[in-house]
Amino acid sequence: MKTFTLVLFLATYILMVLLPKKRVYVALASAVIFVAAGIVPVAKVPQAISWNVLMMIAGTMITVGLFIESKMPVRIADKLLQRSKNAMWVVIYMSLFAGIISAFVDNVATVLMVAPVGLAIAKKLKISPVPMLVCISVSSNLQGAATLVGDTTSIMLGAYAGMDFTDFFFMNGRPSIFFAVELGAAATIPVMMFLFRKDKEPVDSETIMEVSDHGPTVFLLLTIVTLIAASFNKDKPPLMNGLICIGYSVAAMLHSLIRKKEFTAVKTAVKEVDYTTLGLLAGLFIVIDGLSEAGIIDDISDLFVKSCGNNRFMLFTVIVWGSVLLSAFIDNIPYVATMLPVVTAIASRLNMDPYLFYFGLLSGATLGGNITPIGASANIATLGILHKAGYDVKAHDFMKISVPLTLVAIVAGYLFCWFVWA
């Protein structure tokens, strides 16, 4: 049974890589086989799926969809444009702006918000939008791991490790992964200043976008504040975070219906929910539970420990840079879903807290996707936006910006995590 389980998992992973547009069907079909074969008992299926994660993602996506419709992100970008001295600082400010949004909003949603603004700015300045949009994409991926709600992988880690919103900032008396991510973001600024040192065209902007509805902004902020408040209650129900996100998304939709008296904005927001990701995660939760049931997770952790011995630094290094390498070419959601129980088992064998490995895994997997155009969904979305605008970006053009930005961010986060959490 163990051999069959391993072969089925590898086949699932290979098919998801080869058929990226069909990966949700691959994951769900594999989950059905895992259950039908008795690897995962039918009675355990509801427990294997993390409903809290699915509810958080769905609720946040709806609120973010209404936030985008309100034009608030465009207004903020216009304000940033007015404060920019030249084209170089426009790129830097827009990248940092995308990063800040991405700490609380899904990476792809962030790109969909900010990239059109970047295109408009580039057209106004009569410069190519490609470098700016690549920086926006890289920055949004970089900061996605900063908070509990910033990225699907962060939500997965939070649910798996029992981490709350505030745990991403401070935990066990030490600064947490938020500061590792922000240190990496700060390290990218001088790199961007060097890459765009010749872009000194003056900036002139007078137009400011009018916000159609401030309600979605309020509900998005309330979601964040309530998640923070709930994090102080260590005895809260397991589905509390998911219910918070769903509750505010429903309130935001009702507000939109009452205010505008039409369904367009709500229909658009609900339509923007990434049901593919939700289905993919549901299937993967069952598949990963099957690996655990078959004892394969323990076998993989044994392999890590045997290859690196009890050397924490070596294990941490392999986890971080191995995650970077793999996530440059494959989606980080199934990878993180697979590796979370593995690094937990490794930490257990070393009789240590797993957070050093958790943060190394999350930072490596999140940042590694920045290296190549296909390493992250936000990158693919960015290339799609540029293609529609008439710009076909070659891999080397993307990577000459993404690689230096990614490497300095990874090194900064890698060193921070080791010296603070080892």
Side-chain angles (χ1 to χ4, degrees):
M1 181 64 75
K2 183 179 289 188
T3 301
F4 173 75
T5 302
L6 181 59
V7 170
L8 178 57
F9 170 73
L10 292 175
T12 301
Y13 218 112
I14 291 169
L15 286 174
M16 284 194 295
V17 172
L18 295 178
L19 305 171
K21 294 182 179 180
K22 304 290 185 182
R23 61 180 186 166
V24 60
Y25 304 111
V26 173
L28 289 173
S30 180
V32 170
I33 296 173
F34 267 75
V35 175
I39 301 170
V40 178
V42 175
K44 199 178 178 184
V45 170
Q47 300 171 9
I49 298 173
S50 179
W51 300 105
N52 193 51
V53 169
L54 300 184
M55 290 166 65
M56 284 185 70
I57 293 172
T60 303
M61 283 180 174
I62 291 173
T63 308
V64 166
L66 292 170
F67 179 66
I68 295 171
E69 287 287 310
S70 74
K71 302 295 188 294
M72 176 61 82
V74 181
R75 180 179 178 84
I76 297 172
D78 285 342
K79 289 285 189 179
L80 290 175
L81 185 58
Q82 284 189 333
R83 295 178 177 273
S84 302
K85 297 178 182 179
N86 52 47
M88 179 189 75
W89 283 105
V90 170
V91 174
I92 294 173
Y93 285 154
M94 290 296 293
S95 299
L96 295 178
F97 171 54
I100 292 169
I101 292 179
S102 188
F104 303 97
V105 173
D106 177 76
N107 301 344
V108 175
T110 299
V111 167
L112 294 176
M113 281 188 233
V114 183
V117 181
L119 281 173
I121 291 173
K123 184 176 181 180
K124 188 171 185 178
L125 298 178
K126 298 180 180 179
I127 61 175
S128 170
V130 173
M132 184 187 301
L133 264 64
V134 171
C135 287
I136 287 171
S137 180
V138 169
S139 185
S140 68
N141 283 320
L142 164 62
Q143 300 245 36
T147 71
L148 175 64
V149 296
D151 190 34
T152 301
T153 51
S154 296
I155 295 173
M156 291 166 61
L157 171 62
Y160 183 86
M163 294 174 62
D164 284 312
F165 195 92
T166 53
D167 289 332
F168 275 69
F169 294 86
F170 288 95
M171 190 171 66
N172 299 338
R174 286 179 278 186
S176 194
I177 191 169
F178 173 84
F179 295 97
V181 171
E182 296 309 314
L183 184 63
T188 64
I189 295 176
V191 178
M192 284 190 285
M193 291 177 68
F194 176 77
L195 291 175
F196 302 104
R197 62 192 182 279
K198 296 180 181 179
D199 297 322
K200 297 296 178 69
E201 298 89 342
V203 175
D204 181 23
S205 177
E206 297 179 357
T207 59
I208 298 292
M209 174 64 70
E210 289 296 325
V211 177
S212 61
D213 184 6
H214 287 83
T217 304
V218 172
F219 286 113
L220 186 58
L221 291 174
L222 283 173
T223 300
I224 295 167
V225 171
T226 308
L227 285 171
I228 294 172
S231 68
F232 290 101
N233 180 10
K234 299 300 180 183
D235 298 321
K236 68 179 184 295
L239 296 179
M240 176 61 77
N241 287 349
L243 290 171
I244 289 170
C245 294
I246 289 290
Y248 279 120
S249 69
V250 172
M253 287 190 288
L254 289 174
H255 164 84
S256 183
L257 287 173
I258 293 171
R259 186 179 185 278
K260 298 183 178 181
K261 297 182 181 179
E262 46 96 359
F263 291 89
T264 304
V266 173
K267 282 173 63 178
T268 301
V270 173
K271 194 176 179 180
E272 288 300 316
V273 173
D274 191 351
Y275 298 102
T276 298
T277 296
L278 297 177
L280 172 66
L281 285 173
L284 285 174
F285 286 140
I286 296 172
V287 171
I288 301 305
D289 190 72
L291 291 181
S292 181
E293 288 282 328
I296 292 174
I297 296 296
D298 290 334
D299 291 344
I300 296 173
S301 63
D302 281 339
L303 182 63
F304 268 87
V305 173
K306 287 179 181 177
S307 61
C308 298
N310 292 328
N311 189 320
R312 293 188 183 188
F313 179 74
M314 184 63 69
L315 282 165
F316 174 65
T317 300
V318 169
I319 289 170
V320 172
W321 293 102
S323 299
V324 169
L325 180 62
L326 290 171
S327 295
F329 301 99
I330 61 175
D331 193 281
N332 59 15
I333 293 175
Y335 174 73
V336 170
T338 305
M339 288 300 296
L340 277 171
V342 171
V343 298
T344 303
I346 292 172
S348 178
R349 278 164 170 68
L350 297 179
N351 195 28
M352 59 177 282
D353 286 335
Y355 298 108
L356 171 67
F357 295 155
Y358 285 157
F359 297 157
L361 171 66
L362 187 61
S363 58
T366 303
L367 299 179
N370 278 332
I371 291 179
T372 66
I374 61 170
S377 298
N379 295 348
I380 296 172
T382 299
L383 295 183
I385 292 170
L386 285 167
H387 177 73
K388 287 181 180 179
Y391 296 89
D392 288 317
V393 184
K394 296 180 180 178
H396 75 269
D397 291 328
F398 184 96
M399 293 175 69
K400 70 182 181 183
I401 297 174
S402 67
V403 170
L405 292 178
T406 301
L407 289 180
V408 296
I410 292 171
V411 170
Y414 166 75
L415 293 175
F416 176 90
C417 290
W418 175 254
F419 286 112
V420 173
W421 285 92

